[in-house]
Amino acid sequence: MEKIANYIDGALVAPQSNEYLDNVAPAIGQVYSLIPDSTEQDVEAAVAAAEKAFPLWSGLSVDERSAHLERLATAIEDQADELAMAESVDNGKPLSLAKTVDIPRGSANIRFFSHAITQYASESHSMGDIAVNFTLREPIGIVGCISPWNLPLYLFTWKIAPALAAGNCVVAKPSEVTPMTAYLLSKICEKIGFPKGVLNILHGLGHKVGNAIVSHPKVKAISFTGGTATGAHIASIAAPKFKKLSLELGGKNPALVFADCDFEETLNTVVRASFANQGQICLCSSRIYIERAIYDKFRDAYIDKVKQLKVGDPLEEGTAQGAVVSEAHMNKVLGYIDLAKQEGGKCLVGGERAHLTGRCENGFFIYPTVFEGLKLSDRVNQEEVFGPVVTIQPFDSDEEAVELANGTEYGLAATVYSSNVKRCHGLARQLDFGIVWVNTWLLRDLRTPFGGAKSSGVGREGGFEALKFFTEAKNVCVKY
Ligand code: NDP
């Protein structure tokens, strides 16, 4: 059975404890590889390697750093098929999704920041004929990047790329649930001779090795994507040590469907937004609000489309819904389905585990599920399920739509479907979210600020926001 290795100082190494954890392929429900159960000792080694590499890496010209990242992006593209297969097996997502979304975005993240750093400039502030101020933006040093399991390589590279481009050395931890593509990335780094110690990748448990990265005194900034409760825990450790923190957390995202929307286009987009990646994208719409005038028509058409989503072997063409990521997560999602029933929700489609036959008979599959009749205050409308479970309900006015949309502790992404331009602009201002999409979903320009309001996070990623986060600003005031 394949043993995944840590990547420290340019070498693939076993964890110092020599202890391993099982890595389960969710579509077949079987252990298929072993993950290092890394500890503080491995973090020490990674930090030492990063510290040694920092002067050289941060001292490279921007063009040289950019060229290293370009090579890495190209090497990911060269191995795209292998990476897509690995992502699908490790996570349970349809291979088609890994091929078209996850892996292309992994290389695009790195290429984007290899270019962005060459365009990154800082400000100067003139004080007339008295003095001039200019801002130096210097790399922070060693930074920690911790990413979740839903879009493994995609979100891992989204963090490490700006950190590296800005001249930092990185100690990174992918989710223990989906370590494979980060491991393959470390093999790619080794193969192309990516500078040693600049990127270090440790595998293992969040509360163990993740905690040790966050707590390490030499790790000066933490970029974290994951659940809100974990984010709060990380903040409680990092904040008293005055580390820089970027937290991208959970969501409970509303979609507002108005009667004047483009019906067919909206229908297709809402179905995709609800169930892409089995609903395991922080940006997925999980509360669908539909203007009463079209409620029945839209609901019936939506349910028809959802019924057509084929739950199946992620490796088979035509599969729209793969496995959810783990048995524990499946049970959590099924728990929310039970709760929705207890809360009085009417299940319109799905509502249970899907039992496949053949290769996937022990896999963790759930039918895409839609409830109606739940109140905003019900737990299923307030808490993040992070699976293929959606609620739908009617609304009667723009004011009510905004009230419903804003009515949770989360504020990641809202989506509005309407052909009334004035309404769309007005709603965009009133919706308390880090991202508002109008007549689209998941359309991303990597230059834009990305992140959540309220309990969905602190700080923004993307474009120069990320480069700002991964640099320390120093004002230099020179008197004439
Ligand atoms: P978790 O918060 O459980 O874990 C995220 C990462 O943090 C994992 O690598 C995890 O390791 C690690 N971790 C866990 N505990 C600690 C700790 N004490 N110290 C340091 N690291 C720790 O999230 P999930 O992996 O379950 O991901 C799903 C969540 O991520 C959802 O809430 C989703 O909304 C959110 N998310 C947010 C996005 C955004 O951009 N806002 C994008 C994508 C997802 P391990 O896996 O070993 O536990």
Side-chain angles (χ1 to χ4, degrees):
M1 192 169 301
E2 180 153 24
K3 268 189 182 168
I4 287 174
N6 286 333
Y7 177 63
I8 301 176
D9 205 12
L12 294 163
V13 292
Q16 295 190 20
S17 65
N18 221 16
E19 298 286 330
Y20 287 83
L21 305 159
D22 289 342
N23 188 24
V24 175
I28 56 169
Q30 279 172 19
V31 177
Y32 82 107
S33 64
L34 297 173
I35 316 161
D37 185 5
S38 306
T39 61
E40 269 175 38
Q41 283 77 44
D42 302 293
V43 175
E44 281 302 340
V47 167
E51 197 171 23
K52 197 171 68 184
F54 180 66
L56 198 67
W57 181 248
S58 58
L60 291 181
S61 71
V62 161
D63 284 348
E64 286 167 322
R65 276 207 302 273
S66 171
H68 281 297
L69 290 169
E70 278 279 353
R71 265 196 298 282
L72 187 54
T74 303
I76 292 175
E77 278 157 10
D78 291 346
Q79 271 176 244
D81 285 348
E82 185 194 341
L83 287 162
M85 178 60 85
E87 202 73 292
S88 172
V89 170
D90 211 30
N91 172 280
K93 66 180 68 211
L95 179 59
S96 55
L97 188 72
K99 274 188 177 169
T100 51
V101 175
D102 293 76
I103 308 307
R105 182 58 194 277
S107 53
N109 286 336
I110 295 180
R111 178 153 287 124
F112 172 83
F113 281 106
S114 81
H115 295 169
I117 195 64
T118 68
Q119 304 301 311
Y120 187 48
S122 59
E123 311 83 27
S124 86
H125 299 90
S126 167
M127 297 172 75
D129 54 8
I130 302 169
V132 65
N133 296 271
F134 61 91
T135 311
L136 284 177
R137 286 218 160 252
E138 295 166 330
I140 298 169
I142 305 171
V143 301
C145 296
I146 298 179
S147 54
W149 49 256
N150 62 327
L151 299 165
L153 189 69
Y154 176 134
L155 290 174
F156 189 77
T157 50
W158 182 234
K159 295 192 173 304
I160 64 167
L164 295 170
N168 301 286
C169 290
V170 173
V171 178
K173 190 195 96 62
S175 170
E176 147 246 341
V177 187
T178 53
M180 191 53 86
T181 46
Y183 169 55
L184 295 178
L185 181 71
S186 58
K187 285 172 108 174
I188 290 173
C189 287
E190 197 192 33
K191 188 168 111 189
I192 66 170
F194 197 74
K196 289 179 182 175
V198 169
L199 171 63
N200 303 277
I201 303 175
L202 300 178
H203 298 274
L205 298 167
H207 60 83
K208 211 164 167 182
V209 64
N211 219 62
I213 294 171
V214 174
S215 312
H216 198 289
K218 289 188 175 163
V219 175
K220 297 294 182 202
I222 303 292
S223 175
F224 169 81
T225 298
T228 294
T230 317
H233 175 74
I234 286 176
S236 75
I237 298 173
K241 297 189 161 83
F242 309 113
K243 296 179 188 229
K244 278 185 112 174
L245 264 180
S246 165
L247 302 173
E248 298 298 334
L249 309 175
K252 191 72 192 172
N253 308 306
L256 306 181
V257 178
F258 286 86
D260 62 5
C261 70
D262 178 324
F263 192 90
E264 278 307 311
E265 198 184 314
T266 301
L267 188 60
N268 289 328
T269 310
V270 174
V271 171
R272 192 167 63 85
S274 307
F275 297 109
N277 206 36
Q278 295 72 248
Q280 302 167 131
I281 301 181
C282 53
L283 305 162
C284 274
S285 305
S286 56
R287 297 180 291 139
I288 317 295
Y289 297 110
I290 303 158
E291 195 169 3
R292 197 176 298 275
I294 59 161
Y295 183 77
D296 288 353
K297 183 179 168 206
F298 192 90
R299 176 198 54 203
D300 294 349
Y302 177 71
I303 297 300
D304 275 353
K305 287 249 176 223
V306 175
K307 283 182 180 158
Q308 288 164 30
L309 295 173
K310 186 179 165 229
V311 180
D313 185 338
L315 302 186
E316 268 175 23
E317 233 173 274
T319 291
Q321 295 282 287
V324 297
V325 78
S326 67
E327 187 168 20
H329 191 60
M330 176 181 71
N331 289 333
K332 179 188 151 189
V333 175
L334 292 173
Y336 273 107
I337 290 175
D338 285 345
L339 180 65
K341 291 173 183 167
Q342 283 163 31
E343 286 179 322
K346 181 178 171 196
C347 185
L348 300 177
V349 62
E352 59 185 353
R353 179 174 181 177
H355 293 280
L356 273 55
T357 52
R359 193 183 86 90
C360 296
E361 65 179 355
N362 295 318
F364 313 131
F365 295 85
I366 299 176
Y367 287 112
T369 298
V370 180
F371 281 97
E372 77 172 351
L374 290 167
K375 296 187 297 299
L376 176 63
S377 57
D378 287 330
R379 277 182 58 198
V380 176
N381 269 331
Q382 289 292 325
E383 297 174 18
E384 186 183 40
V385 179
F386 213 55
V389 179
V390 161
T391 66
I392 59 170
Q393 44 260 295
F395 67 85
D396 289 301
S397 65
D398 291 31
E399 292 70 29
E400 190 192 0
V402 171
E403 212 168 294
L404 289 165
N406 285 344
T408 76
E409 66 165 310
Y410 294 106
L412 190 52
T415 311
V416 177
Y417 301 91
S418 167
S419 56
N420 179 336
V421 176
K422 197 172 169 193
R423 163 188 285 147
C424 293
H425 280 290
L427 289 178
R429 292 166 64 103
Q430 292 172 64
L431 289 166
D432 209 354
F433 291 81
I435 300 159
V436 177
W437 274 298
V438 177
N439 295 323
T440 185
W441 176 74
L442 206 58
L443 184 57
R444 293 277 295 116
D445 179 328
L446 302 189
R447 294 170 300 180
T448 59
F450 178 88
K454 295 162 44 181
S455 296
S456 291
V458 176
R460 293 292 180 268
E461 299 185 314
F464 292 154
E465 297 282 343
L467 294 176
K468 274 189 180 160
F469 174 75
F470 283 116
T471 50
E472 193 75 77
K474 182 191 286 175
N475 186 62
V476 181
C477 177
V478 182
K479 188 171 178 289
Y480 291 133

